[in-house]
């Protein structure tokens, strides 16, 4: 009996050690892959513990997952949830701050599949860095795509929005409608090459020649079919989502249980660039660089208001004078 217990205890320790060694190898690969440096041995040990906890969490998500998403090592795997959610927007403020927006609906039936990237109007995914400017990237992406769809591709300045917006915004997080209203007040945005992204709030330069203007902004009906129609014929849509599952996301279609990604707790802003109604997913552009997710993009289940994607669909209205219906490439 005691021999059995001793063997049992021994094998338990042995397995723990093997597990620990595997995780250490995984951690060292992670450090190499994402070029991480830690100031001290203590910091290294601390980050390894967090990494191990994140791997547990990723395994848990994988078990709970109903779709085809893969969770695991990402560039955020050495961060605590608190560190990762540093840029979280206050979802309650969303409910209070958008009531003045004009709501529109779409009558045309949506296309079956759509991917605006195939038209060359969606630039590579950018990296917001340590500045909480997701709202500005998702708004500028929306304006760039609409100009591109109507025939004039643009690279517009995100930094101008970060510097020139008023009230809750800058590097402290913000709202896409605030971004669009700032563009209207500025009389348009200048080019990215003339006002480069620094990732810090700076002094507003509003004397640069605008390269793209917008006429209006709208909020779409909270209905995924309506959003599909808008994306099918008019262009991208800026949305707020709950980012809970993005920290551990590697690739595939996120199909969350509602309790794992509550639709009211929207805290991050991204851009819808396409969808497949056949395979039931949205294609979204993030602002965490191209070394996250599917080259900086990700996919989310369509049809179940997953992670609150249908809560705040907004878009700028760009009318360059030659407005006509455009078909999104399948
Ligand atoms: C890795 O990080 C170091 C120090 O931060 C930096 O000097 C180097 O350029 C980085 N290398 C790559 C490939 O990003
Ligand atoms: C926008 O920037 C990208 C990357 O630098 C470049 O390839 C593209 O040609 C630019 N587009 C325009 C319209 O300037
Ligand atoms: C969403 O919009 C479509 C198209 O207008 C409509 O057929 C459908 O009933 C709407 N769904 C809800 C839940 O309102």
């Amino acid at each position: 009996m005691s021999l059995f217990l001793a063997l049992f205890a021994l094998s338990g320790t042995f397995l723990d050690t093997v597990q620990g060694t595997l995780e250490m190898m995984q951690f060292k690969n992670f450090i190499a892959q994402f070029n991480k440096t830690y100031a001290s041995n203590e910091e290294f040990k601390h980050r390894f513990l967090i990494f191990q906890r994140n791997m547990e969490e990723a395994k848990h998500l994988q078990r709970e997952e109903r779709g085809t998403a893969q969770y695991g090592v990402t560039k955020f795997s050495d961060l605590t949830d608190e560190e990762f959610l540093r840029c979280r927007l206050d979802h309650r403020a969303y409910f209070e701050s958008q009531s003045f927006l004009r709501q529109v609906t779409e009558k045309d039936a949506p296309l079956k599949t759509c991917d605006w990237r195939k038209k060359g109007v969606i630039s590579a995914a950018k990296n917001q860095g340590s500045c909480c400017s997701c709202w500005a990237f998702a708004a500028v992406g929306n304006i760039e795509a609409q100009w591109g769809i109507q025939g004039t591709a643009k690279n517009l300045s995100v930094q101008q929005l970060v510097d020139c917006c008023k009230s809750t915004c800058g590097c402290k997080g913000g709202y896409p409608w605030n971004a669009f209203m700032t563009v209207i007040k500025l009389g348009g945005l200048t080019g990215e090459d003339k006002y480069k992204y620094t990732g810090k709030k700076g002094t507003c330069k509003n004397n640069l020649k605008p390269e793209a203007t917008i006429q209006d902004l709208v909020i779409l009906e909270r209905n995924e079919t309506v959003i599909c129609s808008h994306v099918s014929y008019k262009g991208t849509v800026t949305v707020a989502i709950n980012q809970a599952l993005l920290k551990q996301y590697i690739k595939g279609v996120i199909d969350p249980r509602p309790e794992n990604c509550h639709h009211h707790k929207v805290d991050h802003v991204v851009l819808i660039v396409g969808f497949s109604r056949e395979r039931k997913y949205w294609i979204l552009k993030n602002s965490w660089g191209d070394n996250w997710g599917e080259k900086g993009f990700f996919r989310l289940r369509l049809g179940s208001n997953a992670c609150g994607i249908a809560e705040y669909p907004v878009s700028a209205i760009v009318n360059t004078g030659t407005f006509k219906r455009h078909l999104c490439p399948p």
Side-chain angles (χ1 to χ4, degrees):
M1 188 64 189
S2 60
L3 180 64
F4 173 75
L5 278 179
L7 279 176
F8 185 74
L10 192 64
S11 68
T13 319
F14 178 68
L15 286 178
D16 282 352
T17 312
V18 171
Q19 174 78 2
T21 311
L22 282 175
E23 279 176 345
M24 182 53 83
M25 279 165 62
Q26 220 182 358
F27 185 54
K28 287 190 172 158
N29 282 341
F30 159 81
I31 289 173
Q33 186 182 352
F34 296 106
N35 196 26
K36 298 273 179 176
T37 48
Y38 301 120
S40 65
N41 206 22
E42 276 64 50
E43 179 69 4
F44 178 89
K45 284 184 194 152
H46 175 61
R47 292 294 153 190
F48 180 50
L49 282 179
I50 297 167
F51 180 84
Q52 287 178 302
R53 251 179 269 143
N54 281 327
M55 291 305 103
E56 277 305 304
E57 173 64 19
K59 273 187 214 148
H60 173 73
L61 289 177
Q62 202 66 65
R63 281 194 300 270
E64 294 259 299
E65 173 67 30
R66 299 182 299 180
T68 62
Q70 253 184 49
Y71 299 98
V73 178
T74 70
K75 65 200 254 187
F76 304 114
S77 292
D78 62 347
L79 300 184
T80 62
D81 280 349
E82 198 180 25
E83 288 165 332
F84 173 72
L85 294 171
R86 202 178 49 86
C87 282
R88 179 173 34 195
L89 304 174
D90 180 0
H91 63 274
R92 281 160 306 193
Y94 261 86
F95 289 89
E96 291 151 15
S97 56
Q98 48 77 50
S99 52
F100 58 89
L101 290 181
R102 181 161 68 89
Q103 200 189 59
V104 297
T105 187
E106 295 286 339
K107 284 172 199 73
D108 295 334
L111 298 168
K112 281 205 185 83
T113 56
C114 150
D115 187 348
W116 284 114
R117 291 176 298 182
K118 294 183 185 159
K119 182 129 180 162
V121 298
I122 310 294
S123 57
K126 313 274 175 15
N127 196 345
Q128 66 188 67
S130 57
C131 170
C132 300
S133 51
C134 61
W135 60 277
F137 279 94
V140 167
N142 176 289
I143 300 169
E144 284 175 346
Q146 282 197 65
W147 275 81
I149 290 164
Q150 296 184 43
T152 326
K154 303 271 178 189
N155 283 320
L156 299 172
S157 173
V158 171
Q159 191 63 39
Q160 191 176 21
L161 262 186
V162 171
D163 290 350
C164 300
C165 67
K166 299 263 159 58
S167 75
T168 316
C169 62
C171 285
K172 295 188 182 132
Y175 303 103
W177 38 89
N178 198 350
F180 294 137
M181 284 190 300
T182 304
V183 177
I184 293 173
K185 276 190 212 140
L186 285 169
L189 281 180
T190 194
E192 162 67 21
D193 54 338
K194 302 200 181 58
Y195 201 149
K196 285 200 163 50
Y197 188 66
T198 64
K200 293 188 192 88
K201 178 138 177 136
T203 315
C204 171
K205 285 183 250 167
N206 57 6
N207 55 350
L208 296 161
K209 189 172 153 288
E211 287 188 13
T213 54
I214 65 173
Q215 276 67 47
D216 198 1
L217 67 156
V218 291
I219 187 160
L220 297 173
E221 202 184 310
R222 257 180 209 163
N223 174 319
E224 286 177 88
T225 310
V226 169
I227 303 171
C228 274
S229 291
H230 187 97
V231 177
S232 297
Y233 310 113
K234 298 207 170 135
T236 60
V237 171
T238 302
V239 289
I241 59 160
N242 180 338
Q243 64 187 312
L245 301 176
L246 302 187
K247 179 183 175 188
Q248 315 267 15
Y249 172 79
I250 296 179
K251 63 178 184 181
V253 180
I254 300 173
D255 184 4
R257 293 175 190 281
E259 65 272 23
N260 288 343
C261 206
H262 197 281
H263 68 280
H264 275 167
K265 295 193 175 155
V266 296
D267 57 2
H268 183 48
V269 187
V270 291
L271 186 68
I272 296 179
V273 301
F275 59 82
S276 168
R277 289 203 298 138
E278 285 165 334
R279 293 171 57 200
K280 293 196 170 57
Y281 62 74
W282 292 107
I283 308 167
L284 298 119
K285 183 183 183 184
N286 204 349
S287 48
W288 295 344
D290 58 7
N291 63 348
W292 173 87
E294 300 179 327
K295 295 198 167 77
F297 292 76
F298 64 107
R299 286 176 292 161
L300 188 58
R301 164 87 181 194
L302 187 157
S304 54
N305 193 13
C307 302
I309 188 165
E311 297 295 311
Y312 299 105
V314 291
S315 182
I317 299 292
V318 173
N319 188 339
T320 55
T322 55
F323 190 83
K324 57 182 193 315
R325 212 167 93 140
H326 296 270
L327 286 190
C328 179

